[in-house]
Amino acid sequence: MASNAGYSHSPMLKKRDDFEDILVERRTSSDLRYALRCYTPALYKGVTPCHSGLLKSMVLQSDQLTYVIRQISKETGKATADVQEEASAILEEMAHSLKLNTVRFFAFSLCKVFKTLFKSICVNEEGIQRLQQAIKEHPVVLLPSHRSYMDFLLMSYLLFTYELSLPVIAAGMDFMGMKVIGEMLRMSGAFFIRRSFGGDQLYWTVFSEYVRTMLKIGYAPVEFFLEGTRSRTAKSLTPKLGLLNIAMDPFLKGEVYDVHVVPVSISYERILEETLYARELLGIPKPKESTSGLFKARKVLSEDYGSIHVYFGQPVSVRSLAEGRVNRRQFNLLPRHIPTRPGEDVQSFVSDSAYKLVRLQEENMVLKPWVLLASLLLQNHHQNQNHQDQNQDQGMAVDQLTEQALWLRNVSRQYGAFLHWPDHIPPSEVVSSSLSLHGGLVRLCEGRVHLAVERAAGPSSPGEALSPVTPGEELLNQAVVLLSCASYRNQALHVFLRPALLASALHAAASTQKHEVFNSFSFLRNMFSNEFILCPGATVQDFEEACFLLVKTGVLQVTQHEVLVTESGHRTLSFLTNMLDPFLQGYQVVCRFLCEEATETLTEKLFIPAVRKFIIKRLLAGSLRYTEVLSSDLQKNSLAALLRLGAVQKIKGADPETLKVDTVMVSSLEDTLGGKLPTQKAVAARL
C-alpha cells in the first residue's frame, strides 16, 4: 500500500490525509469475485431505498410540479393532462434507472482498464470514512473536479469499491447519443440534462424537483461538476451556480436539517485527452460522443498514464456556511411549492459558497513532478524564442532542469502545494521517469531536453507519408504540443497565482510605494477574474496572502509604506512574472484585435475565428512571443472580462447580437496590461 512518503510536511501546510493505492489488491485478487461480491452500503438514516419508478412518481406528484403544470396550462390554453404528459416525457428522458448488475459489469470492466492504463489509483481512506459517516447522517452532494471523461466512471468505481451508496450523476445529453453506452450509463446512475434550458419552465421544474426529491429523501448521494463542463486547460473554471442552488434549496426551505457537500479533487499524472483538448482549443472540434468513437479510442490502452490521486475533502455543512449569511424566514412568506426567485442574499451566498468549494478542490489537487518540469521547460522555450527561430528550441541540459526543478519543488512546498515528489528516489531518476512518461511532449537529445515542437510538424500517424505543410499548419502543430504542456503547468497555477499577481504588479507599478503596488495588483486581479478562481470581494485578503508568502520565503520586505525586493528574491519573481506573462499577452492581443479589426458586424460567434486568424498572422511575423495565446479559452475569457468591465457591449435587439467596442477604453486597458499602470483614481474610474 502506498503511503504519504514523499509529501511535504512543511509547517506552512495544513495536515492532509495519507493515500492508499487501491490497485494493489486488484492486481493480486480476482476481478470477477470483486465485481460479484456482496454489496450492502450504509444508507441515509437506515431508510429502505425506493426504486427509480417510485422516485419518478414522487416527482410527478410533487406540489411544485403540479402547481407549475396548472400555471402553464392556464397561460398556454393546453389541457392539464397534455402538460402532465410532457412533464412525464421529460422525466423519462432525464431519469436514471440504476441496476446493480450493470454496475457490476462496469466494475469488472473498469478493473481491467484501470490496471492497464494506470500504475496506481491512490485514495485518501480517511476521506472515504468521513464520507461514509456523512451519507448516514445527511443528504450528500459530491462535487468532483472535472478534467477528464474518466472522472464520473472513476467516482462510481471508487464508491462501489469502498461499499458506499452509488451516486446519481448529472450528465450532459450528448452522452445519450452513445446508444448502448448511453443506456448503460443511465443504468449505472447517470441522469441526463440539457446543456441549456432557455426559458423552458416545465423542463427546469421537472429537473429541479427530481434533484430536490432525491436529496430530501436521502435517495443517494447526488454528484455533479460545479464547473459545468470539463476543463480543457486543467485550470479550474468559473463555477456554474444552477445545480448548487437546487442542491441547497431543501436546506434553505427547511425541508432537511442540513446538506453536506463533499469536494473531491481528482489529479491525473497524465491526462488521457491531452492532445484532444489542445486541438479543441485551437478550433478543431471535438469528436461527437459515440460508441464507435469509444472503441476507436482503445489504442490508449497501450499507453502508460501514470498515477491518479483522488482526495475526498472534508464534508462542508451548508447549514454552517449559511449561518449569519441567509435569513431563511423569507422562504416562509409563500407556500413552498410556489416557485420564487431567490433574493440577492441567497444568490450572493450560493456564489460565494461555489468559489469556496472550488478553492477547496484546488487545495487538495496533487501535483506531480512533471507539472514543475513543464512549467520550467515552457519558460525556457519562450526565452529561447527571443533569440532564435521558434522551431529551433535549444532545450535545457538535464542537469540544469533537475537543479531548477529541485529549486521549484522547495518554493512550491513553501507556498502550500500538495506536491507528490518521491524524496526517497534520487532527483535525476524522478526527472527521467517524468520525461519518459510524457515522451510525446518532450525529446532527449545529447543530454538536453527539448519540447517536441519539431516533431509536431511530422505525420499524424505511423506509416503516414510526410506531406508539405504550410507555415500556418506547422504553427498549429507546434501549438498542440505547447498547449498540452501549458495544461500541466496550469495545474500549479492555483499555488502560484496570488504571488504571481503581486510579482507582475511590482514589475508594472510606477513605484515601490505599497499603495501603488496594491493598485497594480487590484487592477490585474480584477482583469483576470474570469480567467482564474478569485473569490469576489477578497482583493485585500489575496494581496495580504501574496505579501505573506513572499516575505516568509525571503523574496520581499514589506514595510508600512513600501514593498521592496530582496537581493535573493529576483529568481522567484522572474519565475512568477513569466508564469503570468502568456495570459497578459493574450489579453493584450485581444485588445489590439478589437481596436484594429472589430467591425460593426462582429458577433461572439465570429469573434474566436477572427481573433485566431489575427493572432496566427502576428505569430508568423514574429511579433508575439507566446504561442499559447492561440487558446480559445484564453480568448473567450478575455472577451468576458472586457464585457464585464464595459469596454465591449452586446447590442441588444440585433439578431445575432453584435459587439460594440469602446476603442478608447480597450486601448487604455491594453496599455495598462503592457505595464503602463494608472494611478489609483484612474483605476477606480476605469473599473
Side-chain angles (χ1 to χ4, degrees):
M1 289 282 182
S3 74
N4 213 16
Y7 286 84
S8 169
H9 290 285
S10 159
M12 288 178 71
L13 287 186
K14 61 178 187 177
K15 171 73 174 75
R16 291 180 173 114
D17 303 338
D18 292 347
F19 284 101
E20 302 293 337
D21 177 9
I22 62 165
L23 291 186
V24 170
E25 189 176 339
R26 293 279 45 78
R27 293 189 200 282
T28 55
S29 58
S30 162
D31 292 338
L32 189 60
R33 195 176 296 124
Y34 156 80
L36 296 177
R37 77 198 200 286
C38 180
Y39 171 71
T40 51
L43 301 168
Y44 172 61
K45 296 189 173 174
V47 298
T48 307
C50 69
H51 57 79
S52 54
L54 180 56
L55 175 65
K56 284 190 256 191
S57 298
M58 292 168 78
V59 172
L60 291 171
Q61 291 162 21
S62 69
D63 291 344
Q64 181 153 338
L65 185 54
T66 304
Y67 175 84
V68 168
I69 286 170
R70 283 184 191 143
Q71 290 298 110
I72 290 171
S73 175
K74 272 185 204 170
E75 288 164 16
T76 62
K78 286 183 184 175
T80 306
D82 291 344
V83 183
Q84 177 85 34
E85 204 169 306
E86 274 181 56
S88 185
I90 290 168
L91 186 57
E92 204 56 43
E93 178 190 63
M94 180 186 298
H96 78 275
S97 55
L98 191 62
K99 302 268 190 304
L100 190 54
N101 284 344
T102 308
V103 172
R104 291 187 188 282
F105 170 77
F106 264 123
F108 176 75
S109 306
L110 287 172
C111 276
K112 304 294 184 194
V113 172
F114 288 157
K115 285 189 290 185
T116 305
L117 288 178
F118 303 108
K119 287 177 189 161
S120 60
I121 297 178
C122 301
V123 182
N124 65 322
E125 294 195 340
E126 288 173 58
I128 292 287
Q129 288 160 15
R130 291 191 294 264
L131 174 59
Q132 187 173 37
Q133 194 59 37
I135 288 170
K136 289 180 191 172
E137 295 172 2
H138 302 284
V140 165
V141 174
L142 292 166
L143 295 180
S145 57
H146 200 16
R147 304 288 181 271
S148 170
Y149 276 134
M150 192 66 79
D151 295 330
F152 62 89
L153 294 171
L154 181 62
M155 285 291 291
S156 295
Y157 178 83
L158 291 177
L159 268 61
F160 178 78
T161 299
Y162 285 105
E163 214 168 326
L164 297 179
S165 294
L166 289 166
V168 286
I169 308 150
M173 273 296 187
D174 33 8
F175 285 99
M176 276 183 66
M178 293 175 74
K179 295 179 186 168
V180 178
I181 297 292
E183 276 313 301
M184 288 180 73
L185 290 173
R186 189 191 294 279
M187 290 189 281
S188 303
F191 64 96
F192 298 101
I193 53 174
R194 295 176 194 163
R195 292 288 178 191
S196 61
F197 304 165
D200 192 335
Q201 193 188 4
L202 185 62
Y203 191 93
W204 172 259
T205 307
V206 171
F207 162 61
S208 57
E209 200 54 37
Y210 182 62
V211 175
R212 271 198 296 258
T213 302
M214 288 191 286
L215 286 167
K216 283 189 288 191
I217 64 173
Y219 178 84
V222 173
E223 179 186 319
F224 60 90
F225 300 110
L226 194 49
E227 298 160 283
T229 186
R230 284 173 301 149
S231 169
R232 271 76 173 161
T233 59
K235 289 192 291 97
S236 296
L237 306 178
T238 303
K240 302 284 189 292
L241 306 180
L243 255 167
L244 189 62
N245 244 313
I246 293 168
M248 290 180 162
D249 202 56
F251 162 74
L252 294 172
K253 289 185 174 172
E255 293 167 311
V256 295
Y257 179 76
D258 200 357
V259 173
H260 275 203
V261 182
V262 180
V264 185
S265 308
I266 306 175
S267 313
Y268 295 90
E269 187 170 12
R270 185 179 164 206
I271 298 165
L272 274 80
E273 305 98 326
E274 66 181 25
T275 311
L276 174 70
Y277 287 167
R279 291 183 183 283
E280 281 183 45
L281 292 169
L282 293 166
I284 304 161
K286 72 170 182 175
K288 191 179 174 187
E289 279 81 9
S290 68
T291 307
S292 61
L294 185 78
F295 288 112
K296 281 176 192 165
R298 282 183 303 172
K299 65 178 182 182
V300 301
L301 293 174
S302 62
E303 301 265 335
D304 178 6
Y305 288 89
S307 60
I308 304 177
H309 285 78
V310 184
Y311 195 98
F312 288 83
Q314 290 279 355
V316 176
S317 156
V318 174
R319 188 179 191 87
S320 298
L321 283 176
E323 198 171 331
R325 287 290 312 270
V326 178
N327 177 7
R328 292 197 293 158
R329 288 177 189 160
Q330 63 186 284
F331 296 102
N332 297 331
L333 300 176
L334 283 170
R336 283 178 189 153
H337 65 268
I338 297 178
T340 51
R341 189 170 176 76
E344 273 187 33
D345 62 333
V346 174
Q347 290 179 52
S348 169
F349 162 68
V350 173
S351 174
D352 289 352
S353 300
Y355 276 90
K356 280 179 191 165
L357 290 162
V358 176
R359 284 295 307 274
L360 289 171
Q361 283 178 350
E362 286 184 334
E363 282 174 18
N364 291 322
M365 296 296 274
V366 171
L367 305 184
K368 301 292 283 187
W370 171 246
V371 170
L372 307 185
L373 298 177
S375 305
L376 293 164
L377 287 166
L378 272 174
Q379 290 196 11
N380 180 70
H381 175 78
H382 294 317
Q383 282 157 10
N384 284 342
Q385 275 182 282
N386 278 356
H387 307 298
Q388 69 265 318
D389 172 51
Q390 67 178 26
N391 206 27
Q392 298 297 314
D393 177 13
Q394 296 300 300
M396 288 178 81
V398 175
D399 291 349
Q400 182 194 5
L401 178 60
T402 305
E403 182 276 320
Q404 289 196 19
L406 288 173
W407 168 78
L408 189 53
R409 176 194 70 179
N410 297 336
V411 172
S412 59
R413 283 177 169 174
Q414 288 173 318
Y415 289 1
F418 197 0
L419 181 66
H420 185 245
W421 181 294
D423 290 323
H424 58 287
I425 296 173
S428 58
E429 285 183 32
V430 174
V431 169
S432 64
S433 164
S434 290
L435 295 174
S436 170
L437 184 69
H438 297 276
L441 300 177
V442 290
R443 61 184 178 80
L444 270 164
C445 182
E446 297 176 355
R448 298 187 76 80
V449 185
H450 305 254
L451 293 181
V453 287
E454 291 168 39
R455 189 192 307 166
S460 59
S461 62
E464 186 183 320
L466 273 167
S467 56
V469 289
T470 65
E473 288 168 336
E474 188 177 352
L475 176 66
L476 288 176
N477 284 331
Q478 291 164 8
V480 170
V481 173
L482 293 167
L483 286 175
S484 297
C485 286
S487 72
Y488 290 101
R489 177 211 56 206
N490 290 347
Q491 290 181 22
L493 274 172
H494 67 276
V495 174
F496 297 112
L497 176 60
R498 286 151 192 82
L501 285 169
L502 179 52
S504 295
L506 269 165
H507 182 71
S511 74
T512 57
Q513 289 295 304
K514 196 173 182 180
H515 71 276
E516 292 273 9
V517 176
F518 176 75
N519 290 342
S520 302
F521 179 91
S522 181
F523 170 80
L524 290 171
R525 187 188 182 281
N526 193 3
M527 198 75 205
F528 285 133
S529 59
N530 293 83
E531 192 71 49
F532 308 116
I533 298 300
L534 293 158
C535 300
T539 304
V540 173
Q541 187 182 327
D542 284 349
F543 181 74
E544 287 173 354
E545 182 188 319
C547 287
F548 170 78
L549 287 171
L550 290 174
V551 168
K552 188 95 174 171
T553 51
V555 176
L556 297 181
Q557 287 180 338
V558 180
T559 67
Q560 194 174 350
H561 301 295
E562 275 197 296
V563 181
L564 302 166
V565 182
T566 65
E567 197 59 43
S568 60
H570 292 287
R571 182 181 187 181
T572 302
L573 284 186
S574 174
F575 171 80
L576 292 170
T577 52
N578 286 337
M579 202 158 204
L580 270 196
D581 272 352
F583 299 95
L584 280 163
Q585 188 170 91
Y587 279 50
Q588 281 176 277
V589 75
V590 166
C591 289
R592 181 68 357 231
F593 162 77
L594 289 169
C595 288
E596 285 185 17
E597 306 228 348
T599 63
E600 289 182 7
T601 56
L602 182 67
T603 63
E604 268 193 278
K605 193 174 180 182
L606 295 171
F607 167 75
I608 295 293
V611 79
R612 182 182 293 125
K613 190 176 170 186
F614 181 84
I615 289 170
I616 288 172
K617 197 171 155 188
R618 272 152 184 72
L619 282 167
L620 291 172
S623 59
L624 287 177
R625 183 177 176 187
Y626 297 103
T627 312
E628 292 154 68
V629 300
L630 278 168
S631 163
S632 59
D633 183 75
L634 183 59
Q635 294 153 13
K636 283 173 191 167
N637 289 338
S638 52
L639 179 62
L642 294 169
L643 284 163
R644 173 173 48 82
L645 297 175
V648 178
Q649 290 179 319
K650 289 182 187 175
I651 304 299
K652 303 288 180 189
D655 186 29
E657 282 183 353
T658 53
L659 299 173
K660 184 185 177 187
V661 180
D662 180 338
T663 50
V664 173
M665 188 172 178
V666 170
S667 179
S668 175
L669 287 167
E670 182 193 0
D671 286 346
T672 308
L673 287 164
K676 301 165 193 168
L677 279 161
T679 62
Q680 185 171 5
K681 194 180 285 185
V683 170
R686 190 170 294 165
L687 302 182

